[in-house]
Amino acid sequence: MSVDSVAENESGDASDGATETLAASATRYYAVAPGVRLNVRSGPGTGYPVVRILPEGAKVPIFCQTPGTRVTGPYGTSSIWDNIDNGQFVSDAYVYTGSDGYFRPRCSF
């Protein structure tokens, strides 16, 4: 459901969409390092297949974090991998989070 949509409750009245707006606004996006086209992998490591490539200037949500292959990038060296969607991971060394450690819950597979 999009934030702009209006839902009907059981009585047939339209809601104002406040619940959907609040949920959508709660998702924070983090910038990928400038000038980087970032590989998105199917798991937390460089040995997993690339499922897509993020364009320069991309911003990503981070739902959970998990340990994986140690990678050196613009924001240091890290073994933390960020889950940005179902089955999609990027190295935290390429995402500006403002933290050198875990700041989101650990992923549970």
Side-chain angles (χ1 to χ4, degrees), residues 11-12 27 66-67 75 102-103:
S11 66
T27 302
T66 192
Y75 299 120
Y102 290 92
F103 72 98

Side-chain angles (χ1 to χ4, degrees), residues 3 6 18 22-23 33-35 41 52 55 64 66 70-72 92 99:
V3 174
V6 176
L22 179 61
R41 297 184 178 270
R52 66 182 173 127
C64 62
T66 192
R70 192 166 181 79
V71 173
T72 299
D92 195 64
S99 173

